[in-house]
């Protein structure tokens, strides 16, 4: 088996004639944190949605552990071990926290008690609030729930779409430390972020995406110190 | 878990009391009592409302095809329970019925559900791709098409064309209605509390997230649609029993709206709300407010103003507007009735210690 848990080859996605993703190829190494950064509408979310089967690409190849998963249903893809933490948290507001977590394990036939206690250990706050409906949680707690829910399917690859969106800076730091913990426990992470600074500091490898194309790639620190990245995404001018 | 057991036991006691009450009414009330006709109707429409709630409230699919599925159920039930020797009489305009046997009540009821569910499965394939208003319009159209089709002359030997079907088995006892309705609602409640029910609620709350969790949207929506229609068919059969005559003209769109009204008044997403609302709705529109339709004269001989045919609906509509204004979420919201929590709440008013009252989830 190759080192790459996920390989995307010349992926093309169109929305009603508009090319959202244009011939993108990228690799995700097993056990690493890989991040995609880029502006709004660059096509980052579309890539994740294609991998999880919610969006149907025009052509290209998506290999998960060497096996082409393009054209499979979201259900089959979750079963293979890929989970998406959707953008904007998207917890089920009228279900309780516990029910939300159980939804994450919906396709599992085996016992998920171990994963439940793992998630509760990771997020003690969720255990305290397990009987509360998810809509009453704060933004940060909802994001924790979204991550916990994704972990309940015991994935090999977890994909996160903007986990820091709309959260207070302190909470963002918590979320990123959780991401690192999850990764240290052996789950590969593919992360999309607007918060390029935090994302690049956390990740092992990064891709910069602009209007459907990959314009740069490299290790996190290298991108962090790259002038073009600094100017475009980190808000530092060239002379500053 | 003990807390939860106490809740279940309290609710079981409530159900037991209701059953005892129904038996009392059934045996002791005079035969002409309004209780009979009203409670039969309440049982029927409580089931119809709960099955609509399963679809609209718990799965978030806005469907208005209830009248169509109830019609299918009512016709199926009626056609198969006419005694054999009566058939040629009922179907006299079409020679004779093509069906030449009689089914026992329970089998006919289940068949009524299955026929409705089968049609739901067929139209579900194309229709469930639609969302919200479009789904409502498509299912509404289906109901009207079914209503038109059964009236066709060429279906005469099966459906008796535009003529009503009667003479079929129609039990009088309230307990029969309560039993059918109760068992059906119990099955729906068990369904909602199962993993499938959770998946339905997840789809209602957020389709994209549900899909990302690996829930097969099309499959679950179809499942909910078919199950809801199954029980709608049974409710239709009960309606046939209530009226002792089945005719396609009674399954109009306005009946669907009535059911929708019951669901909204009771609370979208609350089973007990639907049942309570069905009782309030039909008891007041068929019974408690009936006096408004009668021209009444005072002892002096002058006519009481406003009272007269049609005034009942005016008052009734105003009442509904008041309910909707003051209970935005319906009577129960998305909660379920819980005797135990009620008792705890009342106790916490009198006993000022920190008794755990409060939230009534499940």
């Amino acid at each position: 088996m190759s080192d790459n848990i996920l390989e995307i080859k010349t992926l093309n996605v169109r929305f009603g004639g508009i090319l959202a993703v244009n011939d993108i190829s990228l690799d995700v190494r097993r056990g690493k944190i890989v991040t995609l950064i880029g502006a709004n509408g660059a096509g980052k979310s579309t890539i994740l949605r294609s991998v999880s089967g919610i969006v149907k690409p025009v052509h290209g190849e998506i290999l998960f552990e060497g096996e082409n998963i393009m054209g499979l249903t979201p259900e089959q893809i979750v079963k293979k071990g890929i989970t998406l933490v959707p953008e904007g948290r998207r917890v089920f507001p009228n279900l309780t926290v516990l029910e939300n977590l159980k939804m994450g394990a919906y396709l599992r036939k085996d016992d998920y008690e171990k994963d439940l206690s793992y998630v509760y250990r990771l997020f003690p706050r969720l255990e305290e609030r397990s009987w509360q409906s998810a809509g009453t949680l704060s933004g940060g707690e909802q994001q924790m729930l979204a991550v916990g829910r994704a972990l309940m399917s015991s994935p090999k690859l977890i994909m996160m779409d903007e986990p820091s969106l709309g959260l207070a800076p302190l909470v963002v730091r918590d979320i990123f430390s959780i991401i690192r913990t999850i990764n240290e426990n052996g789950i590969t992470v593919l992360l999309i972020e607007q918060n390029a600074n935090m994302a690049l500091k956390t990740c092992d490898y990064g891709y910069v995406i602009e209007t459907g194309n990959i314009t740069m790639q490299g290790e996190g620190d290298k991108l962090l110190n790259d002038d073009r990245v600094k100017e475009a995404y980190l808000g530092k001018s060239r002379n500053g | 878990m003990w807390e939860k057991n106490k809740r279940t036991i309290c609710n079981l006691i409530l159900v037991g009391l209701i059953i005892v009450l129904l038996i009392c009414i059934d045996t002791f009330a005079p035969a002409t009592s309004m209780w009979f006709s009203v409670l039969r109707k309440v049982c029927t429409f409580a089931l119809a409302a709960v099955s609509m709630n399963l679809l609209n409230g718990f799965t978030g699919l806005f469907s208005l095809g209830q009248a169509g599925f109830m019609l299918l159920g009512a016709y199926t039930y009626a056609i198969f329970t006419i005694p054999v020797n009566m058939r040629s009489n009922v179907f006299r305009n079409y020679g004779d019925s093509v069906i030449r046997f009689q089914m026992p009540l329970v089998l006919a009821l289940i068949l009524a559900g299955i026929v409705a569910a089968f049609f739901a499965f067929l139209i579900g394939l194309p229709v469930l791709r639609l969302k919200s208003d479009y789904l409502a319009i498509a299912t509404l159209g289906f109901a009207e098409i079914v209503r038109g089709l059964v009236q066709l002359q060429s279906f005469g030997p099966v459906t008796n064309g535009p003529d009503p079907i009667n003479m079929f088995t129609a039990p009088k006892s309230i307990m029969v209605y309560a039993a059918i309705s109760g068992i059906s609602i119990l099955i729906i409640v068990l369904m909602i509390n199962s993993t499938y029910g959770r998946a339905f609620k997840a789809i209602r709350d957020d389709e994209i997230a549900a899909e990302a969790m690996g829930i097969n949207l099309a499959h679950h929506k179809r499942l909910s649609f078919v199950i809801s229609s199954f029980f709608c068919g049974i409710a239709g059969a009960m309606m046939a029993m209530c009226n002792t005559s089945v005719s396609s003209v009674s399954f109009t769109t306005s009946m669907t709206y009535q059911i929708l009204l019951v669901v909204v008044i009771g609370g979208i997403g609350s089973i007990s709300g639907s049942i309570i609302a069905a009782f309030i709705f039909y008891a007041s529109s068929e019974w408690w407010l009936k006096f408004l339709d009668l021209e009444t004269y005072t002892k002096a001989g002058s006519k009481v103003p406003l009272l007269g045919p049609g005034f009942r609906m005016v008052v009734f509509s105003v009442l509904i507007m008041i309910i909707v204004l003051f209970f935005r979420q319906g009577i129960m919201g998305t909660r379920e009735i819980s005797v135990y929590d009620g008792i705890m709440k009342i106790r916490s008013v009198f006993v000022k210690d920190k008794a755990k009252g409060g939230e009534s989830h499940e």
Side-chain angles (χ1 to χ4, degrees), chain A residues 192-224:
Chain A
I192 283 186
E193 260 306 330
Q194 298 250 356
N195 190 339
N197 190 21
M198 278 302 264
L200 290 176
K201 274 183 193 154
T202 312
C203 75
D204 297 299
Y205 202 82
Y207 291 89
V208 180
I209 297 179
E210 273 166 29
T211 56
N213 296 289
I214 291 180
T215 49
M216 243 184 288
Q217 54 177 292
E219 266 134 41
D221 325 330
K222 233 167 75 190
L223 287 179
L224 205 54

mmCIF file of all heavy atoms in Angstrom, chain A residues 192-224:
data_model
loop_
_atom_site.group_PDB
_atom_site.id
_atom_site.type_symbol
_atom_site.label_atom_id
_atom_site.label_comp_id
_atom_site.label_asym_id
_atom_site.label_seq_id
_atom_site.Cartn_x
_atom_site.Cartn_y
_atom_site.Cartn_z
ATOM 1 N N ILE A 192 -9.678 22.260 5.431
ATOM 2 C CA ILE A 192 -9.855 23.458 4.621
ATOM 3 C C ILE A 192 -9.936 24.633 5.568
ATOM 4 O O ILE A 192 -10.623 24.552 6.566
ATOM 5 C CB ILE A 192 -11.179 23.383 3.850
ATOM 6 C CG1 ILE A 192 -11.053 22.469 2.671
ATOM 7 C CG2 ILE A 192 -11.595 24.751 3.385
ATOM 8 C CD1 ILE A 192 -12.291 22.511 1.848
ATOM 9 N N GLU A 193 -9.263 25.695 5.254
ATOM 10 C CA GLU A 193 -9.314 26.835 6.166
ATOM 11 C C GLU A 193 -9.234 28.173 5.459
ATOM 12 O O GLU A 193 -8.578 28.323 4.440
ATOM 13 C CB GLU A 193 -8.170 26.744 7.191
ATOM 14 C CG GLU A 193 -8.596 26.215 8.535
ATOM 15 C CD GLU A 193 -9.752 26.969 9.137
ATOM 16 O OE1 GLU A 193 -9.915 28.172 8.890
ATOM 17 O OE2 GLU A 193 -10.529 26.338 9.874
ATOM 18 N N GLN A 194 -9.920 29.142 6.020
ATOM 19 C CA GLN A 194 -9.720 30.539 5.639
ATOM 20 C C GLN A 194 -8.646 31.131 6.544
ATOM 21 O O GLN A 194 -7.907 32.014 6.160
ATOM 22 C CB GLN A 194 -11.017 31.332 5.879
ATOM 23 C CG GLN A 194 -12.173 30.861 5.068
ATOM 24 C CD GLN A 194 -12.548 31.867 4.011
ATOM 25 O OE1 GLN A 194 -11.979 32.946 3.943
ATOM 26 N NE2 GLN A 194 -13.497 31.511 3.169
ATOM 27 N N ASN A 195 -8.628 30.602 7.758
ATOM 28 C CA ASN A 195 -7.633 31.040 8.725
ATOM 29 C C ASN A 195 -6.295 30.405 8.356
ATOM 30 O O ASN A 195 -5.833 29.452 8.976
ATOM 31 C CB ASN A 195 -8.079 30.618 10.117
ATOM 32 C CG ASN A 195 -7.237 31.226 11.205
ATOM 33 O OD1 ASN A 195 -6.098 31.653 10.943
ATOM 34 N ND2 ASN A 195 -7.769 31.260 12.407
ATOM 35 N N ALA A 196 -5.650 30.960 7.313
ATOM 36 C CA ALA A 196 -4.464 30.337 6.744
ATOM 37 C C ALA A 196 -3.337 30.244 7.763
ATOM 38 O O ALA A 196 -2.602 29.259 7.809
ATOM 39 C CB ALA A 196 -4.021 31.128 5.525
ATOM 40 N N ASN A 197 -3.238 31.233 8.605
ATOM 41 C CA ASN A 197 -2.172 31.285 9.597
ATOM 42 C C ASN A 197 -2.213 30.046 10.499
ATOM 43 O O ASN A 197 -1.233 29.287 10.599
ATOM 44 C CB ASN A 197 -2.354 32.574 10.405
ATOM 45 C CG ASN A 197 -1.165 32.840 11.292
ATOM 46 O OD1 ASN A 197 -0.075 32.315 11.040
ATOM 47 N ND2 ASN A 197 -1.381 33.641 12.320
ATOM 48 N N MET A 198 -3.360 29.829 11.144
ATOM 49 C CA MET A 198 -3.516 28.677 12.036
ATOM 50 C C MET A 198 -3.354 27.365 11.273
ATOM 51 O O MET A 198 -2.687 26.438 11.735
ATOM 52 C CB MET A 198 -4.906 28.700 12.685
ATOM 53 C CG MET A 198 -5.032 29.597 13.888
ATOM 54 S SD MET A 198 -3.881 29.190 15.183
ATOM 55 C CE MET A 198 -4.876 28.164 16.222
ATOM 56 N N ALA A 199 -3.981 27.316 10.098
ATOM 57 C CA ALA A 199 -3.972 26.071 9.329
ATOM 58 C C ALA A 199 -2.551 25.681 8.947
ATOM 59 O O ALA A 199 -2.149 24.529 9.116
ATOM 60 C CB ALA A 199 -4.839 26.235 8.081
ATOM 61 N N LEU A 200 -1.781 26.662 8.476
ATOM 62 C CA LEU A 200 -0.425 26.336 8.022
ATOM 63 C C LEU A 200 0.479 25.977 9.200
ATOM 64 O O LEU A 200 1.397 25.174 9.066
ATOM 65 C CB LEU A 200 0.154 27.501 7.225
ATOM 66 C CG LEU A 200 -0.518 27.716 5.860
ATOM 67 C CD1 LEU A 200 0.038 28.946 5.172
ATOM 68 C CD2 LEU A 200 -0.350 26.492 4.974
ATOM 69 N N LYS A 201 0.212 26.578 10.348
ATOM 70 C CA LYS A 201 0.998 26.232 11.535
ATOM 71 C C LYS A 201 0.710 24.802 11.976
ATOM 72 O O LYS A 201 1.568 24.120 12.528
ATOM 73 C CB LYS A 201 0.673 27.189 12.682
ATOM 74 C CG LYS A 201 1.503 28.460 12.636
ATOM 75 C CD LYS A 201 1.181 29.319 13.840
ATOM 76 C CE LYS A 201 1.746 30.706 13.667
ATOM 77 N NZ LYS A 201 0.969 31.687 14.446
ATOM 78 N N THR A 202 -0.518 24.362 11.776
ATOM 79 C CA THR A 202 -0.929 23.046 12.253
ATOM 80 C C THR A 202 -0.551 21.927 11.298
ATOM 81 O O THR A 202 -0.229 20.824 11.718
ATOM 82 C CB THR A 202 -2.463 23.028 12.461
ATOM 83 O OG1 THR A 202 -2.825 24.180 13.200
ATOM 84 C CG2 THR A 202 -2.907 21.784 13.201
ATOM 85 N N CYS A 203 -0.575 22.251 10.002
ATOM 86 C CA CYS A 203 -0.519 21.156 9.028
ATOM 87 C C CYS A 203 0.902 20.659 8.765
ATOM 88 O O CYS A 203 1.886 21.293 9.123
ATOM 89 C CB CYS A 203 -1.142 21.605 7.717
ATOM 90 S SG CYS A 203 -0.089 22.701 6.781
ATOM 91 N N ASP A 204 0.962 19.476 8.141
ATOM 92 C CA ASP A 204 2.246 18.947 7.680
ATOM 93 C C ASP A 204 2.519 19.394 6.255
ATOM 94 O O ASP A 204 3.653 19.591 5.867
ATOM 95 C CB ASP A 204 2.222 17.422 7.728
ATOM 96 C CG ASP A 204 2.038 16.922 9.145
ATOM 97 O OD1 ASP A 204 2.909 17.217 9.977
ATOM 98 O OD2 ASP A 204 1.015 16.258 9.411
ATOM 99 N N TYR A 205 1.442 19.490 5.484
ATOM 100 C CA TYR A 205 1.603 19.829 4.078
ATOM 101 C C TYR A 205 0.428 20.688 3.656
ATOM 102 O O TYR A 205 -0.686 20.500 4.154
ATOM 103 C CB TYR A 205 1.629 18.548 3.229
ATOM 104 C CG TYR A 205 2.292 18.711 1.894
ATOM 105 C CD1 TYR A 205 3.676 18.651 1.762
ATOM 106 C CD2 TYR A 205 1.530 18.928 0.746
ATOM 107 C CE1 TYR A 205 4.288 18.818 0.524
ATOM 108 C CE2 TYR A 205 2.137 19.084 -0.489
ATOM 109 C CZ TYR A 205 3.515 19.029 -0.593
ATOM 110 O OH TYR A 205 4.123 19.182 -1.819
ATOM 111 N N GLY A 206 0.666 21.654 2.777
ATOM 112 C CA GLY A 206 -0.422 22.537 2.379
ATOM 113 C C GLY A 206 -0.504 22.756 0.887
ATOM 114 O O GLY A 206 0.506 22.635 0.172
ATOM 115 N N TYR A 207 -1.705 23.020 0.423
ATOM 116 C CA TYR A 207 -1.928 23.395 -0.972
ATOM 117 C C TYR A 207 -2.613 24.748 -0.991
ATOM 118 O O TYR A 207 -3.509 24.999 -0.198
ATOM 119 C CB TYR A 207 -2.833 22.383 -1.675
ATOM 120 C CG TYR A 207 -2.202 21.028 -1.893
ATOM 121 C CD1 TYR A 207 -2.304 20.030 -0.922
ATOM 122 C CD2 TYR A 207 -1.529 20.752 -3.076
ATOM 123 C CE1 TYR A 207 -1.734 18.791 -1.119
ATOM 124 C CE2 TYR A 207 -0.953 19.506 -3.280
ATOM 125 C CZ TYR A 207 -1.067 18.534 -2.298
ATOM 126 O OH TYR A 207 -0.502 17.303 -2.506
ATOM 127 N N VAL A 208 -2.213 25.618 -1.917
ATOM 128 C CA VAL A 208 -2.901 26.889 -2.090
ATOM 129 C C VAL A 208 -3.744 26.790 -3.352
ATOM 130 O O VAL A 208 -3.236 26.422 -4.415
ATOM 131 C CB VAL A 208 -1.901 28.058 -2.213
ATOM 132 C CG1 VAL A 208 -2.654 29.368 -2.404
ATOM 133 C CG2 VAL A 208 -1.027 28.123 -0.976
ATOM 134 N N ILE A 209 -5.004 27.063 -3.227
ATOM 135 C CA ILE A 209 -5.907 26.919 -4.361
ATOM 136 C C ILE A 209 -6.492 28.265 -4.738
ATOM 137 O O ILE A 209 -6.934 29.031 -3.874
ATOM 138 C CB ILE A 209 -7.033 25.921 -4.022
ATOM 139 C CG1 ILE A 209 -6.423 24.558 -3.779
ATOM 140 C CG2 ILE A 209 -8.055 25.852 -5.134
ATOM 141 C CD1 ILE A 209 -7.400 23.505 -3.420
ATOM 142 N N GLU A 210 -6.432 28.581 -6.031
ATOM 143 C CA GLU A 210 -7.023 29.822 -6.521
ATOM 144 C C GLU A 210 -7.888 29.508 -7.721
ATOM 145 O O GLU A 210 -7.435 28.868 -8.666
ATOM 146 C CB GLU A 210 -5.922 30.816 -6.927
ATOM 147 C CG GLU A 210 -5.440 31.660 -5.764
ATOM 148 C CD GLU A 210 -4.147 32.383 -6.086
ATOM 149 O OE1 GLU A 210 -3.936 32.683 -7.278
ATOM 150 O OE2 GLU A 210 -3.356 32.624 -5.166
ATOM 151 N N THR A 211 -9.123 29.952 -7.690
ATOM 152 C CA THR A 211 -10.098 29.756 -8.770
ATOM 153 C C THR A 211 -9.961 28.398 -9.447
ATOM 154 O O THR A 211 -9.806 28.299 -10.661
ATOM 155 C CB THR A 211 -9.985 30.870 -9.845
ATOM 156 O OG1 THR A 211 -8.656 30.900 -10.341
ATOM 157 C CG2 THR A 211 -10.393 32.192 -9.277
ATOM 158 N N GLY A 212 -10.007 27.369 -8.644
ATOM 159 C CA GLY A 212 -10.065 26.019 -9.181
ATOM 160 C C GLY A 212 -8.736 25.416 -9.581
ATOM 161 O O GLY A 212 -8.696 24.326 -10.151
ATOM 162 N N ASN A 213 -7.634 26.120 -9.326
ATOM 163 C CA ASN A 213 -6.320 25.570 -9.659
ATOM 164 C C ASN A 213 -5.403 25.586 -8.445
ATOM 165 O O ASN A 213 -5.522 26.473 -7.597
ATOM 166 C CB ASN A 213 -5.658 26.408 -10.758
ATOM 167 C CG ASN A 213 -6.444 26.350 -12.044
ATOM 168 O OD1 ASN A 213 -6.484 25.323 -12.721
ATOM 169 N ND2 ASN A 213 -7.108 27.451 -12.363
ATOM 170 N N ILE A 214 -4.483 24.627 -8.400
ATOM 171 C CA ILE A 214 -3.480 24.662 -7.341
ATOM 172 C C ILE A 214 -2.347 25.567 -7.806
ATOM 173 O O ILE A 214 -1.772 25.355 -8.874
ATOM 174 C CB ILE A 214 -2.941 23.251 -7.041
ATOM 175 C CG1 ILE A 214 -4.046 22.423 -6.376
ATOM 176 C CG2 ILE A 214 -1.713 23.326 -6.138
ATOM 177 C CD1 ILE A 214 -3.646 21.027 -6.031
ATOM 178 N N THR A 215 -2.075 26.629 -7.030
ATOM 179 C CA THR A 215 -1.042 27.553 -7.472
ATOM 180 C C THR A 215 0.261 27.332 -6.712
ATOM 181 O O THR A 215 1.317 27.756 -7.153
ATOM 182 C CB THR A 215 -1.480 29.016 -7.271
ATOM 183 O OG1 THR A 215 -1.974 29.144 -5.940
ATOM 184 C CG2 THR A 215 -2.578 29.381 -8.251
ATOM 185 N N MET A 216 0.175 26.692 -5.559
ATOM 186 C CA MET A 216 1.390 26.489 -4.772
ATOM 187 C C MET A 216 1.173 25.290 -3.866
ATOM 188 O O MET A 216 0.046 24.980 -3.508
ATOM 189 C CB MET A 216 1.599 27.715 -3.878
ATOM 190 C CG MET A 216 2.853 28.485 -4.173
ATOM 191 S SD MET A 216 2.984 29.794 -2.976
ATOM 192 C CE MET A 216 1.715 30.899 -3.500
ATOM 193 N N GLN A 217 2.268 24.642 -3.497
ATOM 194 C CA GLN A 217 2.157 23.602 -2.484
ATOM 195 C C GLN A 217 3.480 23.454 -1.756
ATOM 196 O O GLN A 217 4.507 23.901 -2.253
ATOM 197 C CB GLN A 217 1.748 22.278 -3.119
ATOM 198 C CG GLN A 217 2.644 21.824 -4.253
ATOM 199 C CD GLN A 217 2.203 20.475 -4.780
ATOM 200 O OE1 GLN A 217 2.329 19.491 -4.076
ATOM 201 N NE2 GLN A 217 1.689 20.443 -5.988
ATOM 202 N N GLY A 218 3.431 22.867 -0.597
ATOM 203 C CA GLY A 218 4.673 22.693 0.138
ATOM 204 C C GLY A 218 4.391 22.395 1.587
ATOM 205 O O GLY A 218 3.240 22.328 2.003
ATOM 206 N N GLU A 219 5.475 22.212 2.366
ATOM 207 C CA GLU A 219 5.287 21.978 3.790
ATOM 208 C C GLU A 219 4.741 23.240 4.456
ATOM 209 O O GLU A 219 4.951 24.347 3.982
ATOM 210 C CB GLU A 219 6.612 21.573 4.426
ATOM 211 C CG GLU A 219 6.767 20.067 4.481
ATOM 212 C CD GLU A 219 8.135 19.596 4.017
ATOM 213 O OE1 GLU A 219 9.127 20.236 4.374
ATOM 214 O OE2 GLU A 219 8.176 18.593 3.278
ATOM 215 N N GLY A 220 4.063 23.025 5.564
ATOM 216 C CA GLY A 220 3.381 24.131 6.236
ATOM 217 C C GLY A 220 4.274 25.318 6.508
ATOM 218 O O GLY A 220 3.933 26.449 6.140
ATOM 219 N N ASP A 221 5.432 25.086 7.114
ATOM 220 C CA ASP A 221 6.303 26.209 7.487
ATOM 221 C C ASP A 221 6.788 26.947 6.252
ATOM 222 O O ASP A 221 6.923 28.162 6.244
ATOM 223 C CB ASP A 221 7.541 25.719 8.262
ATOM 224 C CG ASP A 221 7.232 24.544 9.141
ATOM 225 O OD1 ASP A 221 6.065 24.487 9.579
ATOM 226 O OD2 ASP A 221 8.119 23.698 9.371
ATOM 227 N N LYS A 222 7.045 26.178 5.190
ATOM 228 C CA LYS A 222 7.569 26.798 3.973
ATOM 229 C C LYS A 222 6.533 27.765 3.386
ATOM 230 O O LYS A 222 6.864 28.879 2.996
ATOM 231 C CB LYS A 222 7.925 25.716 2.943
ATOM 232 C CG LYS A 222 9.358 25.850 2.437
ATOM 233 C CD LYS A 222 9.822 24.624 1.682
ATOM 234 C CE LYS A 222 9.208 24.537 0.295
ATOM 235 N NZ LYS A 222 9.478 23.231 -0.334
ATOM 236 N N LEU A 223 5.286 27.297 3.361
ATOM 237 C CA LEU A 223 4.233 28.167 2.832
ATOM 238 C C LEU A 223 4.028 29.379 3.740
ATOM 239 O O LEU A 223 3.784 30.485 3.278
ATOM 240 C CB LEU A 223 2.923 27.391 2.698
ATOM 241 C CG LEU A 223 2.834 26.381 1.565
ATOM 242 C CD1 LEU A 223 1.484 25.682 1.605
ATOM 243 C CD2 LEU A 223 3.037 27.041 0.217
ATOM 244 N N LEU A 224 4.158 29.120 5.035
ATOM 245 C CA LEU A 224 3.933 30.185 6.009
ATOM 246 C C LEU A 224 4.920 31.332 5.794
ATOM 247 O O LEU A 224 4.604 32.488 6.020
ATOM 248 C CB LEU A 224 4.096 29.599 7.422
ATOM 249 C CG LEU A 224 3.395 30.267 8.577
ATOM 250 C CD1 LEU A 224 1.912 30.401 8.311
ATOM 251 C CD2 LEU A 224 3.620 29.454 9.842
#
